[in-house]
Every structure is written in C-alpha cells, then in structure tokens.
Amino acid sequence: MVPKEKLTEQLHRIVSDPGRILTKETDLVSYGYDASFGFYKPDVVVQVKSEEEVAAVLKIANKLRVPVTPRGQASSLSGGPLPVDGGIVLDFSQWKEKLVIDSEDMVAVVSPGVITADLDHEAEKYGLLYAPDPGSSHFSTIGGNLAENSGGPRCLKYGVTKDYVIGLRVVSPQGEIIRTGGRTVKNVTGYDLTKLIVGSEGTLGVITEATLRLIPRPLASHTVMLIFDHFVEAAKTVTRILTSRIQPAKIEMMDQASIQAVEAFKPQGLPVDAEAILLVGLDGHPAAVADDAARISDIAKKMRVRSVKVDHSEAEARELWMARKLVSPAIAAKKPTKISEDATVPRSKIPDFCQKLQDIKKEYQIDLVVFGHIGDGNLHPNIICDKRDREEMKRAEQAVEAIFKAAIELGGTLSGEHGIGTMKRAYMPWELTPQELDLMKRIKMAWDPNNILNPSKIFPVAGPKLVQSR
Amino acid sequence: MNEDPREKLDYDATFSCIQCGSCLPACPTYKTMGTETQSPRGRINLVKMAAEGKITLDELKEPIDLCLGCRACERVCPTHVAYGRILESAKVAIREHEQLSPVKKFQEDLYYNQVFPKKNVMGAGTNLLWFYQKSGLRRLAEKTRLHHLLPECISTFEEILPSVTSPVRRHRRPSRIAPKHTPRFKVGFFTGCIMDALFDRINDLGMRLLAAGGCTVAAVGGQTCCGALHNHGGRTQQARELAKQNIKAFETESFDYVVNTAGGCGAMLHEYPELFADDPSWKARAEAFAARSIDISELLARLDLPLQKEIRRRVTYQPSCHLTNVQKVVDEPKQLIRSVRGIDFRELDNPDFCCGSAGIYNVVHFDESMKILDVKMADVKAHDPEIIVTTNPGCLLQMKAGIEREGLQDHVRAIHLIELLAEACGLEDGVKK
Ligand SMILES: Cc1cc2nc3c(=O)[nH]c(=O)nc-3n(C[C@H](O)[C@H](O)[C@H](O)COP(=O)(O)OP(=O)(O)OC[C@H]3O[C@@H](n4cnc5c(N)ncnc54)[C@H](O)[C@@H]3O)c2cc1C
Ligand code: SF4
Ligand code: SF4
C-alpha cells in the first residue's frame, strides 16, 4: 500500500487548485456512501475538471496500483461509486462547465458532471428533447447515467440511455485518452466501444465527455388513469393497449399496497380496495394524443376497468401523477429503510411475477409494495424495513434473494436499470454461465490489467452476499 | 450536565435519510462550496457519524456552522427528513461540548442574553448605533481610517444599515390601531427585535395596512425576541424562556391572529411547540399560539386592501427561506405584488435559493455568505428589476448589500413587501427612497 502522503503529494502536482483535493476526515467520510447500502472510506477525493487531470491521475494510480473509483452524485442504488478498496474517489460532480447544444446536428456535447435534467432543460430551448428520464434526473449526472445505462418511465417509447449516446471521450485505466463513435447517428467503423463503455459501471474507462442524440420535442401530452379491481386485468390491459397500435410514452403501475400507503399518508381519494392503478402517459401531436387517450379509455372499458380518468389540463395531469409521486414518501413514512429492487421480467410474465412477489411477501412476512414501469416489465418491488432491526433485515435479505430467483426463473434479469455494483454481484452466477462471466472478466482484464479502476464491482467475490448495513 | 453531549444528537432522525441525493441541487452551500461535506446529505451523515463516535464533535462543527439553516433541503426531500431538528440537535451538542473561553463566553452572553431578548437594551443598542451615525463619530472613524480596520464584513453592512430612527420618534408608535369600520379580525402584532430596531417604520406601516384592511391591531406589551437566533445557536433553554414570555404576552387578549413581518421570526413562532416536547402543558399553549401565528402576507392576502395607486415598476421577489420552507407560505406574497396595478412582476429563476443572510450567517461567515449572494444577484440582474421585494429584515439587509456590491444602487432598491403595499394604498411614500 502506498503511503497516503506520497499519493496526495503527487496529486497536488497534477491538480492546480488544492481545494479540489480532499483529505480531511469529514470530507473522506462524506464520499463513502451512495443511495444503496454499505460504507467505505476513501484515502483521498479528487474533484477533477479536465481530461488531462483525469489522465494524469489514472497514470499515477496505475503505476502505484492505487484503486480509483469514479463518482457522479452518488445516487446509485447498487453501490457503484463506493470506494470498496479505499484509494482515490474521482469526483465528477463539479465538472459541469460544458453543455453545448447543436440544433442542426441534433446533438448535445456535455462534460460528465452535467445534471441530466439541466441538459434536457437546455435542449427544450431549441424544441429538442433528451429522452432518457431516470427518476433521479434532477440530481444525477450524465456520467453516472451513462455508466449505469439508466432507464426511466419514458423508455417504453424512447429507449434507454445507451440509445442516445453516439460518441464518447474516455480515459483508460492506464491513462490513455481515447475517442469512441462520433457525431453521426450511423457509425459502423470497428467494434462499438461506445456501447461497451455505456453500462460498464465505471469499471472499464472513465467518461470525460459525451455526445448525445437529441430528438424533436413532442408538442403535447395527455395522461390517463385506469383503476382496476384485479391486478390481472391491469396487466392484460397493458398488452391490449400496446397491441392496438398505440405507443404510450410510459405506463406506470401502483399495486394495492402502494395505493393504501399513499392513502394513509396523504389521502388522494384513491380506492384502497383496488388491486392496481395504471397511469398512461401519451405524448405527440395534440390530435394524436387526444385520439389515443379516447381509444385507451375504450379498450380499458372492454377490459373491465373500474374507472377511467383523462386529464383536461396540465394541472389535472399533475394531480393524476401526484398519486404515483407520493408512493416513495408514503412508504418512507412507514419505516426508514427502503430496499428498492429492479429485477425485470419479459412483459408477458408480469402477472406471474406479481403473483410470485405476493407469495414472497407472505412467506418472509415482509412489508412489500410494488410499483413501477409495467409497460416494459421493469417493476420496482420495494421492501420497507428498518435497518436497525436485525431480525427483520435478515428476512428482507432472504426475500431479496427470492425475488432475484423468481425474476431469473421467469426469463428476466437481476437488474433492469440500477446496475450490479456491489449489491448484486454475488448473484451474477445465477444469471450468467461461467463462460459468459469469464468472457466479461477477460474484457475487464484487457482494459484494466492492474485492476485499479472501480475494483470489487460487478464480479462475484467471496464473502457475505448482501451488504445491507454499515 | 455530565451527560455525553453526543446524546443530544438526533440520531434517530438521521435514519429517515435514504441518502438519495435529491436535496443536493437545492442546497446553496453545496452549490457554492462544491463538496458533499457541505451538503444536506453530507451533514446528516456527519451527524450520524458523530453520534456513532466515528468523528468528533469538533470535526462536526465546521460543516454545521457553515449550514445556512435555510431548510431548502427539507422542502425537496422525498422522505421528509426533519433536517431542521437534526441541525438544531447538532448545534446543541456542539455548544455543550465546547468549553467556551471566558472572553468568548462574555461576548456571547452579552449578545444572546443581554442584547436580543431585552427590547429596551436592543433599543439602547440601536440608540448607540443611531448616536454613532448622527454624532459624527462615524465620520471621525472614517477620517482616521479606523473604519478600514474593521473587518470587511462590518463595513459592508455599515453601508447599508438604515439610518436608525431617533429614539424619541421610535417610541411614539401607538400600540393599538382600530379600523374605521367594524373590525373583521382582531390581530396581535409581533414586532420582533431586529425588525423593530432597524425597520420600525415598516412595522408601523404593517400595522396601518392591517387597520386599512379592516383589522384591530395591537402590539401587546411584554412581548420579546422570538428566540430564533438563540435556538439556531444551540441555546434551546433560552429560546424556551423567550417563547414562554411571548406566549404569555399574546394570551392576555383573544386574538384571531398573531401577525409578524419577519419570515425568520415567523418560522420560530410556528415551531414553538417543538421546544416543549417534554412539557405537555406548555406544549398545548405553544400549539394554540402557533396555530394563530401567521405571516402578515397571509392575512393581507385575505383582506380587501384599498389599493389605489398605480406603481409602474419592474419588480422581483426574493422570498424568505423560512417563510417558504418552514411556514410554507409561497403564493400570498406574489399574489399581493401582482395585485398592485402597473407592476411588471418578474419572478427569479431560482427564488428558493437562499440569499445568504441566514440570521447572523452573513456576519459570522462573511466570505461564504457573499459567494451565495453573488449567485443570487446574478439571478436578480438577469431580470433587470427596479425593486426587489423581501419579507424578512435579514433578507432586506442582504439584498441591500447585494445591490451595493453590484453597484446597482442608482436604479435598484430593496424594500419590504409592506412598503410596496403601503405605497399602493397611499399610506406613505413607501417605495420612494
Ligand atoms: C430516488 C432515486 C431514483 C432513481 N431512479 C432511477 C431510474 O428511474 N432509473 C435508473 O436507471 N436509475 C435510477 N436511480 C439510480 C441512479 O440515480 C442512477 O444509477 C444514476 O445514473 C446515477 O448517477 P450518479 O451521477 O448519481 O452516479 P453515481 O451514483 O455517482 O455513480 C454511478 C456509477 O457510475 C460510475 N460513474 C460516475 N461517473 C462516471 C464517469 N464520468 N465515468 C465513468 N464512470 C462513472 C460510478 O463509478 C458508478 O459505478 C435512482 C436513484 C434514486 C436515489
Ligand atoms: S433528499 Fe432527504 S432522503 Fe434524500 S439525501 Fe437529502 S435528506 Fe436524505
Ligand atoms: S439548511 Fe440550507 S444550507 Fe443547510 S443543508 Fe439544508 S439546504 Fe443546505
């Protein structure tokens, strides 16, 4: 292990502003967590602001074999930015200077610390849209979104982050500066390194700039709320809508437990005996969305919907979405700890998956609410518990495992959008064969022979499976 | 007091933080200082760490001191973390932990025990200030360049301190005003110590506005400082005593409302019940008091004000953080501004970003405060107003400082909402310099 002083001394030679190298105890413990579980203290935090700085830091770290963990705003739900092996946290959150919109090429060129919603806000000025809309878009960085290949409600229609990246500037773990892709939508020159870096959770290279695709911003939107007595009818209605030549931007679902939690928290007049609520968001030409809204109402009526509400104004739309927005605060009001899962199944398996979830809830006696992006099979089963209650946490951990197992058995995946990080690495062998895992490991080795960049992530390590408390 | 001061930290409340990071963009100190340590999520984690003995209270002090206490984080938090409670608990713990040096203790006592709670001494204090301004001592200080020996913070604020009303005039305010017709509401008027010492004219206008809107207004005797500065300084016991005195003072008559003109004080009055968590009988009295206590804009918005005069000005509004985030009064002041004929109202892009005044933050942490003010002034300048309306004396002073700092004093002024409305109602030339 390299002495801390030697490391910081070298870092000071690279970064001109000493204020961007943090070594105080209070600073170090502030970069040891994210929105998931687990806490690890780095030896030093470097707030980088240029490609040259990043390259120089990585060169030194590679030479001294010091682990480096990239970090955006640490909103990851899978432990991605945690400095598990200590070393350097490379903080990108303050590098947000560049945000250039080219409306002719319909691209945005951004530095990694730009907040996703700020980018979309800027694009709006040109009548353009940056489509990926993770729930954290107001506080997460583009760098983090790219590294996790984040999704959002709107990806039912528009796809996920990787569908909008056309070029990157990346620094390799050895400190080499490389470019991938370019400024054109079409590009088949060589292997697609862009797509390899996207979703690699900061383990293969560090993103220092991204060229992102923008699309025309839809003119109008509409929201339809559908309330169902039975969950199965809600699930069938989703399929019926999507096979009726309608492409909603998003379809969000709240299960009965979510409805009840919201009503107990801030009554919205939702029926607590209903098994599911669907919120369908439409966007496009005003005439088209109005027509789609009417057709969805008709379809739902044929599917034995209990009630249908269509918004008539922006205020009404906001009111309808309020129910969904309140789910998180409502469940947080019950108990402090929230384990937010994102295991995902093929759309056709949603009713089976939901049934399994209810069985798991009973078997492990856990407080479980299910809501999320039903349109693309990416539900969010949330276990509500209290970190301080060890016995309850034990049951919660077992339930999480059961959820993973159920999703994989139904042909789904461990993670739809939050990433593997430290949280799910132990379960990788459940989904991937040894050959598949080995191939991934060899890719990691090729990029990072000394295993200094975000080590201890993605690949299974020995030790306890779940890291749920400090 | 042999108890470990760390016991005072509200450890339990820290568990409701799920460390999501939603609050980061709302935090002014995170924006200007750029480290997680100076963010709400960071501070909550540090309090937790201190409670667990992983860092010391000495280490906790700096990030807690540098927090503005604006509570913008609390408003955006999806899980409603009680940040205000966590912050106050940290202040109490740090204060108990610190062995105050005798000199510092003397100064602090003078400040918190002698000056703020005693209106007559505050009067004397401002009398001194007035004397200083009028007597030429100030000019002497300037001539001898003594002035320049003062830290930059004092001289900046000296420039913008309103010329304090002479003591004789100050004490002439009638303590009770009745409307011309049968009163709609009976209102107790909370004057606040800083507000009354520096801006008693605004308080006068506030009372007259309420009367013009059909209320009987009484500035009851026996009221004192709200205790906010004490509470934010970790002096809960003193805050409690002041709260009791105020509650008693306003119990002497049956008021429909107790109205204040300072967002910061109003927030404290609103949260009086929290001071008495362990004292059921006082808690009930505090709840009754808090239920009637409102910001003047809330009541004015419900009255029929005799708005007659047109004011053709470009106006923006800098809300008081505590009015927005604690009392949750957001629309009424804007509604009142818009109700004045002729006004071209321009909302700031980021009104909820603190101006950096934050109690005595701008004096104690001058440099940090000015960086926050610079962000605010950039937003202000982008909207090119002639008038900046505020709802709290601290914000008012800070915005005046911002105007000076940017060299805008020739064409921009900061005023209290009451001054604008008083002018529109023809009560006084409130908007004129
Ligand atoms: C309330 C809430 C809602 C959420 N909603 C969603 C959602 O709807 N959809 C979704 O997909 N996720 C969601 N998330 C998860 C999280 O916000 C995303 O994963 C987000 O992309 C993380 O961004 P960040 O800036 O916080 O990155 P961090 O959490 O700091 O880092 C995430 C990963 O990116 C790596 N990284 C960061 N910057 C770089 C860089 N410049 N170069 C290389 N690697 C880098 C890190 O090493 C880490 O592995 C949510 C989280 C919360 C708390
Ligand atoms: S928004 Fe609330 S829960 Fe999230 S990090 Fe901030 S204080 Fe914690
Ligand atoms: S109170 Fe204000 S300054 Fe303090 S952490 Fe919250 S938002 Fe930041």
Side-chain angles (χ1 to χ4, degrees):
Chain A
M1 200 57 208
V2 195
K4 240 190 193 175
E5 295 69 40
K6 185 172 167 209
L7 179 62
T8 15
E9 190 202 294
Q10 302 230 25
L11 291 173
H12 275 288
R13 267 186 242 149
I14 299 166
V15 179
S16 51
D17 172 6
R20 290 196 274 119
I21 297 178
L22 316 178
T23 49
K24 269 203 293 201
E25 189 66 14
T26 41
D27 288 324
L28 299 180
V29 298
S30 300
Y31 290 80
Y33 53 76
D34 64 1
S36 73
F37 297 88
F39 174 82
Y40 305 89
K41 202 171 74 176
D43 296 313
V44 54
V45 179
V46 188
Q47 302 189 294
V48 280
K49 284 204 165 197
S50 76
E51 198 169 71
E52 293 70 37
E53 284 176 359
V54 173
V57 171
L58 281 167
K59 274 198 180 112
I60 287 186
N62 190 47
K63 199 169 99 199
L64 301 177
R65 307 282 192 267
V66 176
V68 176
T69 307
R71 176 191 184 274
Q73 290 252 82
S75 71
S76 168
L77 293 167
S78 57
L82 301 180
V84 175
D85 302 294
I88 302 170
V89 161
L90 215 50
D91 178 21
F92 286 94
S93 65
Q94 304 307 309
W95 183 5
K96 47 196 167 194
E97 281 74 12
K98 190 164 184 181
L99 202 185
V100 185
I101 308 278
D102 181 332
S103 57
E104 266 179 45
D105 285 350
M106 303 222 329
V107 296
V109 182
V110 295
S111 45
V114 167
I115 300 293
T116 310
D118 291 348
L119 160 59
D120 183 44
H121 192 66
E122 198 57 33
E124 188 178 5
K125 295 181 187 161
Y126 300 83
L128 297 172
L129 175 79
Y130 177 67
D133 60 340
S136 55
S137 63
H138 285 273
F139 51 93
S140 62
T141 65
I142 278 294
N145 287 186
L146 292 168
E148 301 284 11
N149 188 12
S150 297
R154 231 163 28 201
C155 68
L156 173 62
K157 177 171 180 179
Y158 295 104
V160 295
T161 300
K162 72 162 185 256
D163 301 316
Y164 292 84
V165 195
I166 53 178
L168 293 176
R169 293 186 71 90
V170 176
V171 180
S172 78
Q174 284 116 309
E176 300 144 339
I177 296 172
I178 56 174
R179 282 181 312 117
T180 75
R183 252 177 121 82
T184 55
V185 172
K186 296 181 171 180
N187 180 330
V188 293
T189 310
Y191 291 146
D192 193 345
L193 297 182
T194 311
K195 297 276 154 73
L196 179 60
I197 291 292
V198 174
S200 66
E201 304 190 16
T203 62
L204 298 182
V206 170
I207 300 159
T208 52
E209 188 178 283
T211 304
L212 304 166
R213 191 160 69 88
L214 304 172
I215 57 174
R217 203 171 188 88
L219 268 176
S221 63
H222 252 310
T223 301
V224 186
M225 181 190 258
L226 307 169
I227 301 176
F228 292 90
D229 289 331
H230 301 292
F231 184 85
V232 180
E233 282 151 9
K236 281 191 190 148
T237 304
V238 171
T239 310
R240 190 59 67 86
I241 292 172
L242 292 172
T243 51
S244 305
R245 298 195 175 185
I246 300 174
Q247 176 60 71
K250 45 193 171 185
I251 308 182
E252 294 288 295
M253 188 275 294
M254 293 166 62
D255 78 341
Q256 189 168 19
S258 322
I259 300 169
Q260 289 171 349
V262 168
E263 284 303 302
F265 178 66
K266 248 190 203 156
Q268 304 290 303
L270 307 173
V272 289
D273 59 337
E275 272 185 16
I277 292 180
L278 295 183
L279 277 156
V280 186
L282 299 157
D283 65 9
H285 188 278
V289 287
D291 186 53
D292 282 348
R295 284 174 60 213
I296 289 173
S297 308
D298 288 343
I299 293 169
K301 278 175 199 146
K302 284 185 201 132
M303 302 299 290
R304 299 223 300 257
V305 69
R306 182 197 290 195
S307 71
V308 181
K309 277 186 207 154
V310 183
D311 63 339
H312 295 99
S313 65
E314 254 179 57
E316 274 183 40
R318 260 200 307 277
E319 230 168 83
L320 294 179
W321 283 106
M322 186 48 86
R324 170 71 180 81
K325 259 188 118 165
L326 282 172
V327 175
S328 280
I331 60 181
K334 288 171 100 179
K335 277 181 199 169
T337 311
K338 186 171 102 166
I339 304 177
S340 179
E341 269 318 321
D342 72 325
T344 302
V345 296
R347 192 150 34 212
S348 61
K349 295 290 193 268
I350 281 183
D352 297 344
F353 189 45
C354 280
Q355 187 50 52
K356 271 268 179 350
L357 291 173
Q358 296 311 318
D359 297 344
I360 292 170
K361 180 175 180 171
K362 273 199 208 93
E363 184 175 346
Y364 298 98
Q365 299 188 4
I366 44 160
D367 214 339
L368 179 83
V369 302
V370 186
F371 55 90
H373 326 308
I374 192 168
D376 55 31
N378 184 198
L379 291 178
H380 290 306
N382 271 251
I383 302 177
I384 316 155
C385 44
D386 189 336
K387 207 143 76 165
R388 289 159 291 189
D389 183 342
R390 278 172 194 269
E391 193 271 328
E392 183 183 34
M393 288 310 285
K394 186 104 216 117
R395 280 184 282 121
E397 285 175 18
Q398 289 166 342
V400 168
E401 288 198 351
I403 292 173
F404 293 164
K405 199 167 261 157
I408 292 172
E409 276 168 13
L410 290 167
T413 178
L414 284 171
S415 176
E417 55 184 19
H418 297 163
I420 300 298
T422 54
M423 296 291 289
K424 296 185 177 177
R425 59 187 173 180
Y427 304 95
M428 288 289 270
W430 290 13
E431 187 173 331
L432 302 178
T433 64
Q435 293 76 12
E436 289 159 354
L437 256 176
D438 185 56
L439 186 63
M440 287 190 187
K441 267 192 197 148
R442 281 187 281 153
I443 293 175
K444 165 76 177 164
M445 282 291 287
W447 280 79
D448 183 13
N450 297 318
N451 195 30
I452 58 144
L453 190 61
N454 214 355
S456 302
K457 305 289 163 69
I458 303 182
F459 299 106
V461 291
K465 280 194 173 141
L466 283 171
V467 225
Q468 307 240 302
S469 39
R470 290 205 163 155
Chain B
M1 260 206 308
N2 287 330
E3 197 189 342
D4 185 342
R6 279 184 308 202
E7 297 284 318
K8 287 281 174 0
L9 296 171
D10 199 338
Y11 183 54
D12 272 346
T14 65
F15 278 87
S16 42
C17 174
I18 54 168
Q19 303 190 318
C20 63
S22 310
C23 52
L24 297 178
C27 176
T29 60
Y30 179 65
K31 182 169 175 88
T32 55
M33 302 180 198
T35 64
E36 180 79 19
T37 325
Q38 305 296 351
S39 78
R41 180 173 66 172
R43 292 183 174 119
I44 294 167
N45 177 60
L46 290 170
V47 168
K48 184 187 257 172
M49 292 272 189
E52 289 172 356
K54 292 180 180 146
I55 62 165
T56 64
L57 285 173
D58 289 324
E59 288 172 317
L60 180 64
K61 184 177 161 62
E62 187 196 63
I64 291 298
D65 276 355
L66 289 177
C67 169
L68 295 156
C70 69
R71 292 165 70 175
C73 46
E74 213 174 294
R75 202 161 83 107
V76 299
C77 172
T79 69
H80 303 301
V81 172
Y83 181 78
R85 278 225 310 270
I86 297 174
L87 176 69
E88 301 306 345
S89 82
K91 297 227 168 128
V92 172
I94 291 168
R95 190 177 138 68
E96 284 195 6
H97 163 72
E98 274 183 342
Q99 300 295 327
L100 291 174
S101 73
V103 175
K104 194 165 170 223
K105 187 159 173 47
F106 171 74
Q107 288 176 342
E108 292 214 344
D109 270 352
L110 188 72
Y111 179 67
Y112 283 107
N113 291 342
Q114 308 300 322
V115 180
F116 282 111
K118 301 193 181 136
K119 285 199 71 167
N120 50 346
V121 181
M122 188 70 189
T126 40
N127 287 353
L128 276 179
L129 196 63
W130 173 78
F131 179 71
Y132 172 70
Q133 284 175 340
K134 297 283 163 202
S135 64
L137 264 184
R138 176 190 202 147
R139 249 172 296 136
L140 186 70
E142 276 164 3
K143 262 200 196 126
T144 55
R145 309 209 359 244
L146 267 177
H147 193 68
H148 298 280
L149 293 180
L150 296 171
E152 193 189 349
C153 63
I154 307 280
S155 34
T156 297
F157 284 98
E158 211 187 25
E159 275 162 31
I160 47 132
L161 274 180
S163 15
V164 175
T165 337
S166 87
V168 182
R169 216 215 117 224
R170 280 190 63 213
H171 297 138
R172 267 208 315 253
R173 173 202 301 147
S175 66
R176 192 173 291 269
I177 316 183
K180 293 203 186 94
H181 310 286
T182 332
R184 261 189 87 185
F185 298 113
K186 189 173 169 192
V187 174
F189 197 86
F190 183 84
T191 54
C193 53
I194 299 190
M195 189 69 203
D196 215 36
L198 297 179
F199 300 109
D200 69 328
R201 192 182 64 87
I202 297 177
N203 269 345
D204 289 352
L205 288 173
M207 288 179 72
R208 288 171 55 202
L209 260 181
L210 288 167
C215 303
T216 304
V217 195
V220 294
Q223 57 173 308
T224 181
C225 169
C226 67
L229 290 174
H230 302 78
N231 200 42
H232 303 328
R235 291 163 178 76
T236 321
Q237 192 45 43
Q238 281 152 273
R240 238 175 246 137
E241 292 312 317
L242 295 170
K244 284 184 183 172
Q245 197 177 325
N246 282 323
I247 294 169
K248 272 194 241 160
F250 285 93
E251 277 171 349
T252 53
E253 290 184 47
S254 62
F255 292 116
D256 297 314
Y257 298 106
V258 175
V259 164
N260 71 80
T261 56
C265 301
M268 185 70 229
L269 304 180
H270 186 77
E271 293 195 326
Y272 270 179
E274 296 203 1
L275 290 172
F276 300 105
D278 309 322
D279 186 343
S281 82
W282 270 105
K283 184 158 191 237
R285 288 168 78 176
E287 275 165 357
F289 176 85
R292 281 178 303 155
S293 160
I294 59 174
D295 184 76
I296 191 164
S297 65
E298 288 181 271
L299 186 52
L300 290 177
R302 266 183 263 161
L303 302 175
D304 287 325
L305 291 176
L307 296 167
Q308 25 177 289
K309 209 170 132 192
E310 188 175 54
I311 300 179
R312 301 187 70 85
R313 292 269 183 252
R314 298 185 302 276
V315 175
T316 194
Y317 169 52
Q318 164 55 28
S320 143
C321 297
H322 282 184
L323 192 58
T324 306
N325 301 324
V326 183
Q327 300 180 77
K328 313 257 170 15
V329 176
V330 177
D331 295 328
E332 287 86 344
K334 290 191 276 188
Q335 185 190 322
L336 287 165
I337 295 171
R338 286 206 179 91
S339 68
V340 177
R341 258 186 314 129
I343 280 185
D344 170 6
F345 181 48
R346 302 163 168 210
E347 253 190 276
L348 294 177
D349 288 336
N350 198 356
D352 297 343
F353 191 87
C354 178
C355 66
S357 128
I360 53 171
Y361 190 95
N362 50 5
V363 179
V364 188
H365 304 292
F366 181 73
D367 293 338
E368 289 82 359
S369 163
M370 290 302 119
K371 284 196 188 120
I372 291 165
L373 179 58
D374 291 346
V375 176
K376 176 57 68 186
M377 291 313 291
D379 192 356
V380 167
K381 280 202 290 193
H383 294 85
D384 187 28
E386 293 162 285
I387 295 175
I388 309 171
V389 171
T390 63
T391 45
N392 184 54
C395 311
L396 183 50
L397 280 177
Q398 182 84 341
M399 293 321 294
K400 284 174 191 269
I403 290 169
E404 294 274 335
R405 235 173 119 74
E406 302 286 340
L408 299 173
Q409 53 274 35
D410 291 340
H411 51 281
V412 189
R413 276 162 299 138
I415 62 172
H416 193 288
L417 175 63
I418 291 172
E419 293 175 274
L420 181 75
L421 296 173
E423 156 100 12
C425 292
L427 292 184
E428 192 184 340
D429 231 3
V431 180
K432 282 252 174 70
K433 248 194 188 162

